[in-house]
Amino acid sequence: MSKSTTTRKNPSATVLIVGAGFAGLGAAIRLQQAGIRDIVTLERADRVGGTWRDNNYPGAACDIPSNLYSYSFDQNPDWSRSFSGSEEILGYIQAMVERFGLQKYIRFNQNVTDLAFDDELGVWHATTEAGEVFSGRAAVMAQGPLSNAGFPDIPGIEDYQGHKIHSAAWDHDYDFRGKKVGVIGTGASAIQIIPELVKEAGKLTVFQRTPAWVMPRPDFETPDWQKTLFRKVPASQSALRKGLYLAHESMALAVIWDSPVTRMAERLGRWHLKRQVKDRWLRRQLTPDYRIGCKRILVSNDYYPALQQPNCKLITWPIARLSEHGIRTVEGIEHQFDAIVFATGFDVSHSGTPFPVRGSGGRLLADDWKRGAQAYKSINVAGYPNLFLTFGPNSGPGHNSALVYMESQIDYIVKGVKTILSRNLKALAVRDRAQQEYNEAIQQRLAKTNWNSGCKSWYLTEDGFNATMYPGFASQYANQMKELDLRDYSLVTA
């Protein structure tokens, strides 16, 4: 849709939320429960769901148990299995909208192109591609870190004449049966796609740049008696959730820091590989040469078996370029394909923003983040009053459910908005010094983690700055978010 030459202004709201995925809908629920109902949620698509709406490729599923990858204030007793697929997760999100009556807050097909703070009025203005302007005393950026997907920058990508498919924009109309298919990438999406494609493709060729640590996946169907128990005794499901939470917390000792538990996790990963891959040469190709946790750990029971199917081949030579008919690797061999699947991940912004965000005095957030994204407690940025981030800098989990972190952020946002309203503030602005001290401490702690131990990953910028992960337990993150310390903020009354 082209941008209109004129804009239409809508009545000002208390809170603007950008995005109707898990974060945006969760924020709307908690604000509503706190008595704040003057909310506008701007969603670029025509339905809710965020990453679980967009990622519907074959085999898409979550790698965190369903009872933990859901909100504690809206638990679902009817999960079909311990690790649910994307369709079921999307159904949970859609049902959440119905249960909490969120439809009235959402404006669909409103792709935000500019978000700007008005110093004089103390409000945020969001301009959309549809030519409308929405305003609010506070703004919540809940568009998510895994929301912008694009084809990778590989030489010759425009020359390829076959069918191109990105994992985050799956073509369900394409018939893979009997086709020669190439898959670029062996990350979290690829290891779910490959076992499904190998069932249909005539020949499947997988291009691996770096082998990953792959762990077994304890995935089971949920028995009917358990669903009945959870419905009749909700406390039983809360107890299971607590147990899963604590189990994942313990994994931080293996994933985040180098410890004896790290060695144990690596032995488990090698055992899983040796148990499923008998061929020594293939096993060598699939063995990581970096410390576990440095890159994202993957979980799968069917990835290794898929690679060993007669119609599947693993290529570890680096890709030189794409050609008219396929992929050319550095040793000079051209592999020809009917279709290429790009399971190459997302454009995770370490320093930029998905659209211009203009703070006090017209300053640009992308400019302030040129040397690396920083925020106070991952949620507020100096110079951007009344703006709250979800999954902001250094709030990424490496071992526990993202929704545990998200709930802490949402509750903090509610405290911030209530402070703005109760004190009739024009601006609630975090102080530069508070942000600087917080980030200095974060970076000192990150220097001692596995993420910063030397491998290249999407957690880091090109120069090695980690603006993504939180260097601690989920409980530590939650504890820091329990209090909104006004000494770290400047307050401007209306």
Side-chain angles (χ1 to χ4, degrees):
M1 184 182 295
S2 62
K3 188 174 180 180
S4 303
T5 54
T6 59
T7 57
R8 185 170 72 88
K9 294 184 178 180
N10 293 271
S12 185
T14 299
V15 184
L16 281 181
I17 300 173
V18 180
F22 258 123
L25 297 174
I29 290 169
R30 297 306 257 177
L31 287 165
Q32 180 178 249
Q33 290 174 337
I36 302 165
R37 295 181 172 84
D38 187 14
I39 304 165
V40 172
T41 301
L42 303 176
E43 169 54 51
R44 66 182 180 183
D46 58 1
R47 57 196 179 109
V48 302
T51 187
W52 295 106
R53 174 198 61 228
D54 298 337
N55 285 267
N56 52 19
Y57 54 80
C62 188
D63 54 10
I64 292 289
S66 306
N67 282 293
L68 190 55
Y69 193 79
S70 48
Y71 281 128
S72 65
F73 53 79
D74 188 30
Q75 297 187 57
N76 174 23
D78 296 316
W79 292 116
S80 66
R81 49 192 319 111
S82 45
F83 290 82
S84 296
S86 62
E87 187 175 346
E88 191 171 6
I89 295 171
L90 180 59
Y92 168 79
I93 295 171
Q94 292 168 336
M96 192 164 58
V97 173
E98 295 292 330
R99 278 192 295 274
F100 291 94
L102 304 181
Q103 301 95 327
K104 57 183 174 289
Y105 303 132
I106 305 171
R107 306 292 183 270
F108 291 109
N109 299 307
Q110 295 289 352
N111 186 29
V112 175
T113 56
D114 188 87
L115 186 64
F117 185 68
D118 188 320
D119 287 293
E120 184 177 348
L121 298 177
V123 299
W124 283 93
H125 301 298
T127 304
T128 71
E129 198 172 44
E132 297 197 53
V133 177
F134 298 86
S135 304
R137 293 182 67 176
V140 179
M141 290 183 65
Q143 75 281 351
L146 304 181
S147 56
N148 293 318
F151 290 107
D153 185 16
I154 299 177
I157 193 167
E158 297 301 328
D159 299 333
Y160 176 63
Q161 298 299 307
H163 199 66
K164 291 187 294 188
I165 302 174
H166 194 284
S167 59
W170 198 259
D171 184 355
H172 291 275
D173 294 328
Y174 186 77
D175 187 359
F176 288 93
R177 287 177 296 182
K179 300 287 177 50
K180 291 185 292 183
V181 182
V183 177
I184 299 177
T186 52
S189 299
I191 69 162
Q192 296 178 345
I193 292 170
I194 290 166
E196 298 302 316
L197 285 186
V198 80
K199 299 173 185 176
E200 295 189 20
K203 182 180 179 182
L204 186 68
T205 305
V206 178
F207 293 83
Q208 172 187 274
R209 183 171 59 180
T210 308
W213 286 99
V214 181
M215 295 298 191
R217 184 187 188 93
D219 190 20
F220 309 100
E221 286 190 23
T222 305
D224 290 338
W225 66 262
Q226 182 174 298
K227 298 177 186 178
T228 302
L229 176 64
F230 287 170
R231 281 194 296 269
K232 292 185 175 180
V233 188
S236 63
Q237 186 171 15
S238 297
L240 173 62
R241 180 187 175 89
K242 183 69 172 178
L244 290 169
Y245 169 77
L246 293 174
H248 279 77
E249 277 290 79
S250 69
M251 293 178 192
L253 298 173
V255 175
I256 301 179
W257 306 282
D258 188 19
S259 74
V261 186
T262 307
R263 305 285 84 75
M264 292 171 60
E266 290 179 342
R267 282 197 291 272
L268 175 60
R270 292 193 187 98
W271 170 83
H272 184 53
L273 174 59
K274 188 174 183 179
R275 183 174 66 91
Q276 291 200 322
V277 180
K278 301 305 179 185
D279 182 88
R280 290 186 177 182
W281 174 242
L282 180 59
R283 200 160 64 226
R284 182 177 177 181
Q285 290 177 302
L286 294 169
T287 300
D289 62 357
Y290 55 88
R291 187 187 305 164
I292 196 169
C294 192
K295 293 176 180 283
R296 182 174 176 177
I297 298 172
L298 310 180
V299 290
S300 176
N301 296 332
D302 51 10
Y303 172 57
Y304 288 149
L307 292 177
Q308 298 170 84
Q309 295 303 306
N311 63 330
C312 190
K313 183 178 181 180
L314 179 70
I315 302 291
T316 57
W317 286 100
I319 294 172
R321 62 175 292 113
L322 266 65
S323 61
E324 183 178 350
H325 299 294
I327 297 173
R328 191 174 300 157
T329 46
V330 292
E331 84 281 26
I333 295 177
E334 181 172 295
H335 307 265
Q336 298 188 349
F337 301 109
D338 299 305
I340 298 176
V341 173
F342 294 83
T344 47
F346 294 82
D347 179 18
V348 179
S349 179
H350 298 285
S351 58
T353 54
F355 43 78
V357 180
R358 308 172 195 278
S360 188
R363 62 195 294 172
L364 270 172
L365 187 55
D367 290 343
D368 288 340
W369 280 359
K370 272 184 179 176
R371 300 182 65 183
Q374 293 188 1
Y376 171 75
K377 294 186 178 181
S378 312
I379 204 164
N380 296 124
V381 183
Y384 299 82
N386 307 351
L387 179 68
F388 301 90
L389 313 179
T390 62
F391 271 132
N394 298 114
S395 64
H399 66 286
N400 217 318
S401 172
L403 267 66
V404 170
Y405 291 72
M406 197 182 294
E407 281 196 35
S408 300
Q409 294 165 2
I410 289 170
D411 288 344
Y412 194 92
I413 290 169
V414 173
K415 293 186 185 80
V417 174
K418 288 175 71 175
T419 299
I420 292 169
L421 296 178
S422 64
R423 293 174 177 256
N424 194 26
L425 298 180
K426 181 185 289 187
L428 176 68
V430 69
R431 299 182 187 276
D432 280 299
R433 185 170 182 81
Q435 178 174 302
Q436 181 181 344
E437 290 176 350
Y438 178 83
N439 281 277
E440 286 174 354
I442 284 286
Q443 292 302 319
Q444 287 174 4
R445 292 166 62 187
L446 279 166
K448 303 172 184 177
T449 65
N450 292 338
W451 301 313
N452 288 37
S453 62
C455 76
K456 293 182 68 174
S457 73
W458 62 267
Y459 301 146
L460 309 176
T461 60
E462 288 297 322
D463 59 359
F465 181 77
N466 192 332
T468 309
M469 308 305 285
Y470 177 74
F473 294 99
S475 54
Q476 289 178 296
Y477 186 86
N479 283 334
Q480 77 166 7
M481 305 303 285
K482 285 181 178 178
E483 181 184 2
L484 192 154
D485 191 345
L486 292 180
R487 293 173 297 182
D488 291 335
Y489 292 82
S490 62
L491 281 63
V492 180
T493 56

